Amino acid sequence: PPDYTCLMYVRRGAGVEAKHSPKPELSTPVDVHNMAYFEKGGDGIVIHNPAPAEGEGGGVVGEVEDNGKGVADVMILAGRPIGAPVVAQGTMVMNTPGEVSQAYEDYQRGMFGIPWDHKLDDASWVEQVAAMAGRMGR
């Protein structure tokens, strides 16, 4: 929708390109393990994966196939901006200074999540998530 902002993360696939509808003449190349930001104002994104790397394959987040040329595995995050306050300190971004402090404390206690190895296959990623959930008592 025109009032949404959108992020696209490329997990697998080489040569992924995205076109945003307000400026369809512009193509944004997005390398593997990188993210693209799309501004508000469009009604869609076209994703094209013209030249997959050797051994690239599907995943569980989202797959885009280009006429049998290969598969790109992408994650799309989109939504209407909420206009909440933003407080940033170092690598942490929250809504209040207290939330930033709590995030640093959680990180230092090892409760901030799983360090993400971008090269994990899907089965290994599921194992890591399950192990972290067990560690947190979930």
Side-chain angles (χ1 to χ4, degrees):
D3 59 338
Y4 277 32
T5 53
C6 179
L7 301 172
M8 180 182 76
Y9 177 79
V10 178
R11 186 168 164 234
R12 291 189 193 131
V16 173
E17 296 176 0
K19 292 183 180 185
H20 189 217
S21 60
K23 298 178 183 174
E25 69 282 1
L26 299 179
S27 181
T28 303
V30 187
D31 292 328
V32 68
H33 304 147
N34 282 278
M35 187 170 296
Y37 169 79
F38 301 96
E39 295 180 16
K40 295 186 292 184
D43 60 4
I45 296 171
V46 176
I47 302 168
H48 178 66
N49 185 32
E54 184 69 28
E56 291 293 326
V60 297
V61 179
E63 295 178 353
V64 179
E65 187 158 354
D66 179 39
N67 298 325
K69 293 181 185 177
V71 175
D73 185 350
V74 302
M75 179 171 52
I76 305 282
L77 304 168
R80 198 172 281 117
I82 61 173
V86 175
V87 176
Q89 180 182 344
T91 59
M92 302 295 178
V93 179
M94 305 299 278
N95 298 119
T96 68
E99 289 176 345
V100 170
S101 295
Q102 183 64 52
Y104 273 112
E105 288 176 25
D106 292 346
Y107 175 75
Q108 290 167 351
R109 288 193 335 245
M111 305 304 286
F112 198 69
I114 303 168
W116 187 7
D117 180 352
H118 296 276
K119 296 178 182 173
L120 285 180
D121 61 30
D122 294 335
S124 298
W125 178 248
V126 169
E127 283 180 28
Q128 273 204 353
V129 170
M132 182 63 161
R135 190 171 132 214
M136 296 179 73
R138 294 183 188 160

